[in-house]
Amino acid sequence: YDADTSFNLGVDYHRPVTGTLQGFIHGEWSYSGPRTTGFRPLLRSGVANNAYNSFAAYSLFNLRAGVSWDRWRASVYVNNVGDARPVLQQTNFAPTPVTTRITAQPRTIGITLNAHF
C-alpha cells in the first residue's frame, strides 16, 4: 500500500481581529501517488493474483478557520473539501467475486470549541 510519492503541505495564517481576539485560517493538502498491493497481477501459473490491487493517485484537502481568545478557541472545519473517495484498502475474496473496500472519510463539516487549562 506504499506509494512511491506522497507528501503533505500545511499553511497557517493568524491575524488579530480585536485587542483580545485572534483569527486564524489553516489549510492542509495531502497527496498520495499510485500504489499497488502484491507483487504482480498474475501468479506464475498465469492465474490472477487475488492479493494484487492497483490504486489511483489521490489528493485530500482540509480547511479550518476560527478565533482564539485567552484560553478558548472556536473553529469551523471542512475535512475532505472535494469529497474525494479514494480506495485506501481493498480485499478480494477468491474464488467468490466479493470485494471489500475502505475509502477516505467523506466530506465532514463541523465546529470545535477548545479550552486550555
Side-chain angles (χ1 to χ4, degrees):
Y1 295 101
D2 293 332
D4 288 338
T5 304
S6 64
F7 59 87
N8 297 308
L9 176 66
V11 176
D12 286 307
Y13 177 74
H14 296 262
R15 182 175 176 101
V17 178
T18 68
T20 59
L21 205 58
Q22 178 81 16
F24 66 89
I25 298 174
H26 174 79
E28 299 172 345
W29 175 42
S30 64
Y31 170 83
S32 182
R35 61 212 190 287
T36 60
T37 62
F39 294 107
R40 62 185 88 155
L42 298 175
L43 300 175
R44 289 185 185 168
S45 63
V47 175
N49 180 358
N50 288 320
Y52 182 86
N53 294 293
S54 179
F55 303 110
Y58 67 91
S59 290
L60 297 174
F61 187 62
N62 302 323
L63 286 174
R64 179 177 296 271
V67 292
S68 59
W69 66 101
D70 293 331
R71 61 186 187 120
W72 296 95
R73 179 177 169 163
S75 62
V76 295
Y77 65 87
V78 181
N79 290 338
N80 192 359
V81 173
D83 201 24
R85 303 290 175 94
V87 176
L88 304 177
Q89 183 177 343
Q90 178 173 311
T91 305
N92 307 318
F93 296 96
T96 61
V98 175
T99 300
T100 62
R101 291 186 177 116
I102 297 174
T103 63
Q105 184 175 354
R107 181 184 305 121
T108 306
I109 301 169
I111 299 171
T112 60
L113 179 61
N114 300 336
H116 301 280
F117 298 96

mmCIF file of all heavy atoms in Angstrom, residues 63-97:
data_model
loop_
_atom_site.group_PDB
_atom_site.id
_atom_site.type_symbol
_atom_site.label_atom_id
_atom_site.label_comp_id
_atom_site.label_asym_id
_atom_site.label_seq_id
_atom_site.Cartn_x
_atom_site.Cartn_y
_atom_site.Cartn_z
ATOM 1 N N LEU A 63 -9.783 22.297 5.462
ATOM 2 C CA LEU A 63 -9.766 23.713 5.841
ATOM 3 C C LEU A 63 -10.289 23.884 7.263
ATOM 4 O O LEU A 63 -11.186 23.155 7.683
ATOM 5 C CB LEU A 63 -10.656 24.545 4.915
ATOM 6 C CG LEU A 63 -10.149 24.828 3.518
ATOM 7 C CD1 LEU A 63 -11.226 25.536 2.713
ATOM 8 C CD2 LEU A 63 -8.896 25.670 3.574
ATOM 9 N N ARG A 64 -9.757 24.870 7.964
ATOM 10 C CA ARG A 64 -10.226 25.213 9.306
ATOM 11 C C ARG A 64 -10.066 26.716 9.470
ATOM 12 O O ARG A 64 -9.067 27.283 9.054
ATOM 13 C CB ARG A 64 -9.404 24.476 10.358
ATOM 14 C CG ARG A 64 -9.796 24.785 11.780
ATOM 15 C CD ARG A 64 -8.996 23.958 12.777
ATOM 16 N NE ARG A 64 -9.258 22.534 12.638
ATOM 17 C CZ ARG A 64 -10.231 21.863 13.267
ATOM 18 N NH1 ARG A 64 -11.030 22.521 14.076
ATOM 19 N NH2 ARG A 64 -10.380 20.586 13.089
ATOM 20 N N ALA A 65 -11.060 27.358 10.085
ATOM 21 C CA ALA A 65 -10.995 28.796 10.357
ATOM 22 C C ALA A 65 -11.660 29.056 11.698
ATOM 23 O O ALA A 65 -12.626 28.373 12.067
ATOM 24 C CB ALA A 65 -11.699 29.595 9.266
ATOM 25 N N GLY A 66 -11.143 30.026 12.424
ATOM 26 C CA GLY A 66 -11.749 30.316 13.714
ATOM 27 C C GLY A 66 -11.103 31.481 14.419
ATOM 28 O O GLY A 66 -10.341 32.248 13.828
ATOM 29 N N VAL A 67 -11.393 31.568 15.695
ATOM 30 C CA VAL A 67 -10.863 32.627 16.551
ATOM 31 C C VAL A 67 -10.401 32.017 17.870
ATOM 32 O O VAL A 67 -10.877 30.968 18.294
ATOM 33 C CB VAL A 67 -11.920 33.719 16.831
ATOM 34 C CG1 VAL A 67 -12.243 34.501 15.568
ATOM 35 C CG2 VAL A 67 -13.177 33.143 17.434
ATOM 36 N N SER A 68 -9.443 32.702 18.491
ATOM 37 C CA SER A 68 -8.994 32.291 19.822
ATOM 38 C C SER A 68 -8.885 33.526 20.708
ATOM 39 O O SER A 68 -8.616 34.626 20.228
ATOM 40 C CB SER A 68 -7.652 31.560 19.743
ATOM 41 O OG SER A 68 -6.668 32.385 19.171
ATOM 42 N N TRP A 69 -9.148 33.334 21.996
ATOM 43 C CA TRP A 69 -9.047 34.399 22.983
ATOM 44 C C TRP A 69 -8.785 33.756 24.329
ATOM 45 O O TRP A 69 -9.324 32.687 24.620
ATOM 46 C CB TRP A 69 -10.290 35.277 22.996
ATOM 47 C CG TRP A 69 -11.542 34.576 23.461
ATOM 48 C CD1 TRP A 69 -12.103 34.660 24.699
ATOM 49 C CD2 TRP A 69 -12.363 33.678 22.712
ATOM 50 N NE1 TRP A 69 -13.231 33.871 24.764
ATOM 51 C CE2 TRP A 69 -13.416 33.247 23.540
ATOM 52 C CE3 TRP A 69 -12.327 33.188 21.402
ATOM 53 C CZ2 TRP A 69 -14.403 32.358 23.136
ATOM 54 C CZ3 TRP A 69 -13.306 32.299 20.992
ATOM 55 C CH2 TRP A 69 -14.330 31.903 21.852
ATOM 56 N N ASP A 70 -7.914 34.379 25.080
ATOM 57 C CA ASP A 70 -7.495 33.837 26.381
ATOM 58 C C ASP A 70 -7.180 32.344 26.241
ATOM 59 O O ASP A 70 -6.315 31.971 25.483
ATOM 60 C CB ASP A 70 -8.561 34.077 27.451
ATOM 61 C CG ASP A 70 -8.731 35.551 27.785
ATOM 62 O OD1 ASP A 70 -7.737 36.287 27.655
ATOM 63 O OD2 ASP A 70 -9.852 35.948 28.166
ATOM 64 N N ARG A 71 -7.927 31.524 26.953
ATOM 65 C CA ARG A 71 -7.686 30.078 26.895
ATOM 66 C C ARG A 71 -8.675 29.360 25.992
ATOM 67 O O ARG A 71 -8.696 28.140 25.932
ATOM 68 C CB ARG A 71 -7.719 29.480 28.296
ATOM 69 C CG ARG A 71 -9.028 29.651 29.000
ATOM 70 C CD ARG A 71 -8.932 29.171 30.438
ATOM 71 N NE ARG A 71 -10.238 29.193 31.042
ATOM 72 C CZ ARG A 71 -10.849 28.125 31.533
ATOM 73 N NH1 ARG A 71 -10.261 26.961 31.516
ATOM 74 N NH2 ARG A 71 -12.040 28.242 32.062
ATOM 75 N N TRP A 72 -9.505 30.080 25.270
ATOM 76 C CA TRP A 72 -10.551 29.499 24.429
ATOM 77 C C TRP A 72 -10.193 29.556 22.953
ATOM 78 O O TRP A 72 -9.502 30.459 22.507
ATOM 79 C CB TRP A 72 -11.870 30.240 24.651
ATOM 80 C CG TRP A 72 -12.371 30.089 26.046
ATOM 81 C CD1 TRP A 72 -12.164 30.946 27.078
ATOM 82 C CD2 TRP A 72 -13.136 29.011 26.561
ATOM 83 N NE1 TRP A 72 -12.759 30.479 28.222
ATOM 84 C CE2 TRP A 72 -13.362 29.276 27.926
ATOM 85 C CE3 TRP A 72 -13.640 27.841 25.999
ATOM 86 C CZ2 TRP A 72 -14.083 28.407 28.733
ATOM 87 C CZ3 TRP A 72 -14.356 26.985 26.816
ATOM 88 C CH2 TRP A 72 -14.569 27.273 28.158
ATOM 89 N N ARG A 73 -10.727 28.610 22.218
ATOM 90 C CA ARG A 73 -10.549 28.570 20.764
ATOM 91 C C ARG A 73 -11.808 27.954 20.147
ATOM 92 O O ARG A 73 -12.234 26.878 20.554
ATOM 93 C CB ARG A 73 -9.330 27.736 20.408
ATOM 94 C CG ARG A 73 -9.090 27.613 18.935
ATOM 95 C CD ARG A 73 -7.819 26.840 18.689
ATOM 96 N NE ARG A 73 -7.730 26.508 17.283
ATOM 97 C CZ ARG A 73 -6.639 26.126 16.684
ATOM 98 N NH1 ARG A 73 -5.519 26.007 17.359
ATOM 99 N NH2 ARG A 73 -6.633 25.836 15.406
ATOM 100 N N ALA A 74 -12.400 28.655 19.183
ATOM 101 C CA ALA A 74 -13.581 28.152 18.465
ATOM 102 C C ALA A 74 -13.263 28.138 16.980
ATOM 103 O O ALA A 74 -12.629 29.064 16.460
ATOM 104 C CB ALA A 74 -14.791 29.046 18.733
ATOM 105 N N SER A 75 -13.674 27.080 16.300
ATOM 106 C CA SER A 75 -13.387 26.996 14.867
ATOM 107 C C SER A 75 -14.443 26.174 14.147
ATOM 108 O O SER A 75 -15.159 25.370 14.745
ATOM 109 C CB SER A 75 -12.002 26.393 14.623
ATOM 110 O OG SER A 75 -11.924 25.077 15.121
ATOM 111 N N VAL A 76 -14.519 26.399 12.846
ATOM 112 C CA VAL A 76 -15.323 25.577 11.943
ATOM 113 C C VAL A 76 -14.344 24.898 11.002
ATOM 114 O O VAL A 76 -13.275 25.441 10.700
ATOM 115 C CB VAL A 76 -16.370 26.406 11.155
ATOM 116 C CG1 VAL A 76 -17.399 27.002 12.091
ATOM 117 C CG2 VAL A 76 -15.709 27.476 10.328
ATOM 118 N N TYR A 77 -14.679 23.697 10.557
ATOM 119 C CA TYR A 77 -13.771 22.973 9.677
ATOM 120 C C TYR A 77 -14.541 22.226 8.594
ATOM 121 O O TYR A 77 -15.721 21.919 8.755
ATOM 122 C CB TYR A 77 -12.891 22.006 10.466
ATOM 123 C CG TYR A 77 -13.652 20.888 11.141
ATOM 124 C CD1 TYR A 77 -13.937 19.709 10.475
ATOM 125 C CD2 TYR A 77 -14.086 21.014 12.456
ATOM 126 C CE1 TYR A 77 -14.640 18.688 11.100
ATOM 127 C CE2 TYR A 77 -14.781 20.006 13.087
ATOM 128 C CZ TYR A 77 -15.050 18.838 12.394
ATOM 129 O OH TYR A 77 -15.748 17.835 13.013
ATOM 130 N N VAL A 78 -13.834 21.978 7.517
ATOM 131 C CA VAL A 78 -14.315 21.115 6.440
ATOM 132 C C VAL A 78 -13.160 20.181 6.107
ATOM 133 O O VAL A 78 -12.109 20.629 5.638
ATOM 134 C CB VAL A 78 -14.736 21.907 5.183
ATOM 135 C CG1 VAL A 78 -15.241 20.951 4.108
ATOM 136 C CG2 VAL A 78 -15.770 22.960 5.500
ATOM 137 N N ASN A 79 -13.325 18.912 6.385
ATOM 138 C CA ASN A 79 -12.334 17.906 6.016
ATOM 139 C C ASN A 79 -12.763 17.248 4.708
ATOM 140 O O ASN A 79 -13.953 17.027 4.481
ATOM 141 C CB ASN A 79 -12.193 16.847 7.106
ATOM 142 C CG ASN A 79 -11.521 17.397 8.344
ATOM 143 O OD1 ASN A 79 -10.820 18.400 8.285
ATOM 144 N ND2 ASN A 79 -11.745 16.746 9.473
ATOM 145 N N ASN A 80 -11.807 16.946 3.864
ATOM 146 C CA ASN A 80 -12.055 16.362 2.539
ATOM 147 C C ASN A 80 -12.991 17.283 1.744
ATOM 148 O O ASN A 80 -14.085 16.900 1.335
ATOM 149 C CB ASN A 80 -12.619 14.949 2.652
ATOM 150 C CG ASN A 80 -12.611 14.206 1.336
ATOM 151 O OD1 ASN A 80 -12.204 14.731 0.303
ATOM 152 N ND2 ASN A 80 -13.085 12.971 1.358
ATOM 153 N N VAL A 81 -12.544 18.513 1.549
ATOM 154 C CA VAL A 81 -13.337 19.552 0.893
ATOM 155 C C VAL A 81 -13.918 19.077 -0.436
ATOM 156 O O VAL A 81 -15.077 19.318 -0.743
ATOM 157 C CB VAL A 81 -12.490 20.834 0.687
ATOM 158 C CG1 VAL A 81 -13.234 21.856 -0.150
ATOM 159 C CG2 VAL A 81 -12.097 21.422 2.032
ATOM 160 N N GLY A 82 -13.135 18.384 -1.251
ATOM 161 C CA GLY A 82 -13.589 17.921 -2.562
ATOM 162 C C GLY A 82 -14.417 16.647 -2.534
ATOM 163 O O GLY A 82 -14.827 16.143 -3.571
ATOM 164 N N ASP A 83 -14.673 16.098 -1.343
ATOM 165 C CA ASP A 83 -15.435 14.861 -1.168
ATOM 166 C C ASP A 83 -14.850 13.714 -1.989
ATOM 167 O O ASP A 83 -15.567 12.909 -2.585
ATOM 168 C CB ASP A 83 -16.909 15.079 -1.515
ATOM 169 C CG ASP A 83 -17.809 14.028 -0.883
ATOM 170 O OD1 ASP A 83 -17.404 13.443 0.144
ATOM 171 O OD2 ASP A 83 -18.905 13.775 -1.423
ATOM 172 N N ALA A 84 -13.512 13.634 -2.028
ATOM 173 C CA ALA A 84 -12.825 12.555 -2.750
ATOM 174 C C ALA A 84 -13.084 11.226 -2.044
ATOM 175 O O ALA A 84 -13.203 11.179 -0.824
ATOM 176 C CB ALA A 84 -11.325 12.829 -2.802
ATOM 177 N N ARG A 85 -13.184 10.169 -2.801
ATOM 178 C CA ARG A 85 -13.420 8.831 -2.229
ATOM 179 C C ARG A 85 -12.379 7.834 -2.721
ATOM 180 O O ARG A 85 -12.717 6.794 -3.283
ATOM 181 C CB ARG A 85 -14.811 8.331 -2.599
ATOM 182 C CG ARG A 85 -15.959 9.219 -2.182
ATOM 183 C CD ARG A 85 -16.153 9.209 -0.669
ATOM 184 N NE ARG A 85 -17.174 10.161 -0.292
ATOM 185 C CZ ARG A 85 -18.451 9.861 -0.127
ATOM 186 N NH1 ARG A 85 -18.863 8.639 -0.283
ATOM 187 N NH2 ARG A 85 -19.308 10.805 0.208
ATOM 188 N N PRO A 86 -11.097 8.114 -2.537
ATOM 189 C CA PRO A 86 -10.087 7.159 -2.996
ATOM 190 C C PRO A 86 -10.156 5.865 -2.186
ATOM 191 O O PRO A 86 -10.491 5.876 -1.002
ATOM 192 C CB PRO A 86 -8.770 7.886 -2.750
ATOM 193 C CG PRO A 86 -9.067 8.791 -1.606
ATOM 194 C CD PRO A 86 -10.491 9.234 -1.822
ATOM 195 N N VAL A 87 -9.840 4.775 -2.842
ATOM 196 C CA VAL A 87 -9.772 3.480 -2.162
ATOM 197 C C VAL A 87 -8.450 3.433 -1.408
ATOM 198 O O VAL A 87 -7.382 3.582 -1.994
ATOM 199 C CB VAL A 87 -9.882 2.313 -3.166
ATOM 200 C CG1 VAL A 87 -9.703 0.987 -2.454
ATOM 201 C CG2 VAL A 87 -11.213 2.368 -3.889
ATOM 202 N N LEU A 88 -8.510 3.247 -0.096
ATOM 203 C CA LEU A 88 -7.320 3.175 0.733
ATOM 204 C C LEU A 88 -6.865 1.731 0.947
ATOM 205 O O LEU A 88 -5.682 1.463 1.109
ATOM 206 C CB LEU A 88 -7.580 3.832 2.090
ATOM 207 C CG LEU A 88 -8.072 5.284 2.038
ATOM 208 C CD1 LEU A 88 -8.360 5.783 3.442
ATOM 209 C CD2 LEU A 88 -7.078 6.171 1.323
ATOM 210 N N GLN A 89 -7.831 0.820 0.962
ATOM 211 C CA GLN A 89 -7.520 -0.596 1.155
ATOM 212 C C GLN A 89 -8.590 -1.421 0.466
ATOM 213 O O GLN A 89 -9.759 -1.035 0.440
ATOM 214 C CB GLN A 89 -7.478 -0.925 2.640
ATOM 215 C CG GLN A 89 -7.102 -2.354 2.944
ATOM 216 C CD GLN A 89 -7.017 -2.592 4.442
ATOM 217 O OE1 GLN A 89 -6.932 -1.665 5.246
ATOM 218 N NE2 GLN A 89 -7.052 -3.852 4.821
ATOM 219 N N GLN A 90 -8.190 -2.565 -0.082
ATOM 220 C CA GLN A 90 -9.139 -3.444 -0.770
ATOM 221 C C GLN A 90 -8.743 -4.895 -0.521
ATOM 222 O O GLN A 90 -7.569 -5.228 -0.536
ATOM 223 C CB GLN A 90 -9.132 -3.150 -2.266
ATOM 224 C CG GLN A 90 -10.047 -4.054 -3.060
ATOM 225 C CD GLN A 90 -10.145 -3.626 -4.509
ATOM 226 O OE1 GLN A 90 -10.363 -2.452 -4.783
ATOM 227 N NE2 GLN A 90 -9.974 -4.554 -5.427
ATOM 228 N N THR A 91 -9.732 -5.728 -0.284
ATOM 229 C CA THR A 91 -9.514 -7.159 -0.105
ATOM 230 C C THR A 91 -10.413 -7.905 -1.072
ATOM 231 O O THR A 91 -11.609 -7.624 -1.160
ATOM 232 C CB THR A 91 -9.847 -7.597 1.340
ATOM 233 O OG1 THR A 91 -9.073 -6.799 2.241
ATOM 234 C CG2 THR A 91 -9.544 -9.059 1.553
ATOM 235 N N ASN A 92 -9.838 -8.830 -1.812
ATOM 236 C CA ASN A 92 -10.583 -9.654 -2.766
ATOM 237 C C ASN A 92 -10.713 -11.060 -2.176
ATOM 238 O O ASN A 92 -9.715 -11.647 -1.783
ATOM 239 C CB ASN A 92 -9.845 -9.726 -4.101
ATOM 240 C CG ASN A 92 -9.499 -8.360 -4.641
ATOM 241 O OD1 ASN A 92 -10.301 -7.456 -4.573
ATOM 242 N ND2 ASN A 92 -8.302 -8.208 -5.146
ATOM 243 N N PHE A 93 -11.915 -11.562 -2.117
ATOM 244 C CA PHE A 93 -12.148 -12.892 -1.575
ATOM 245 C C PHE A 93 -12.352 -13.878 -2.717
ATOM 246 O O PHE A 93 -13.405 -13.908 -3.337
ATOM 247 C CB PHE A 93 -13.374 -12.888 -0.646
ATOM 248 C CG PHE A 93 -13.184 -12.036 0.567
ATOM 249 C CD1 PHE A 93 -13.657 -10.730 0.600
ATOM 250 C CD2 PHE A 93 -12.515 -12.527 1.669
ATOM 251 C CE1 PHE A 93 -13.474 -9.934 1.714
ATOM 252 C CE2 PHE A 93 -12.328 -11.738 2.796
ATOM 253 C CZ PHE A 93 -12.804 -10.446 2.812
ATOM 254 N N ALA A 94 -11.340 -14.660 -3.007
ATOM 255 C CA ALA A 94 -11.428 -15.643 -4.089
ATOM 256 C C ALA A 94 -11.854 -16.970 -3.490
ATOM 257 O O ALA A 94 -11.556 -17.259 -2.347
ATOM 258 C CB ALA A 94 -10.092 -15.771 -4.784
ATOM 259 N N PRO A 95 -12.538 -17.800 -4.223
ATOM 260 C CA PRO A 95 -12.891 -17.667 -5.631
ATOM 261 C C PRO A 95 -14.193 -16.892 -5.854
ATOM 262 O O PRO A 95 -14.598 -16.689 -6.983
ATOM 263 C CB PRO A 95 -13.027 -19.099 -6.101
ATOM 264 C CG PRO A 95 -13.536 -19.827 -4.899
ATOM 265 C CD PRO A 95 -12.900 -19.131 -3.713
ATOM 266 N N THR A 96 -14.865 -16.449 -4.788
ATOM 267 C CA THR A 96 -16.111 -15.704 -4.976
ATOM 268 C C THR A 96 -15.788 -14.282 -5.437
ATOM 269 O O THR A 96 -14.746 -13.735 -5.083
ATOM 270 C CB THR A 96 -16.923 -15.637 -3.669
ATOM 271 O OG1 THR A 96 -16.133 -14.967 -2.693
ATOM 272 C CG2 THR A 96 -17.298 -17.024 -3.186
ATOM 273 N N PRO A 97 -16.664 -13.665 -6.191
ATOM 274 C CA PRO A 97 -16.399 -12.300 -6.675
ATOM 275 C C PRO A 97 -16.784 -11.230 -5.644
ATOM 276 O O PRO A 97 -17.506 -10.298 -5.944
ATOM 277 C CB PRO A 97 -17.266 -12.220 -7.933
ATOM 278 C CG PRO A 97 -18.431 -13.109 -7.630
ATOM 279 C CD PRO A 97 -17.870 -14.236 -6.788
#
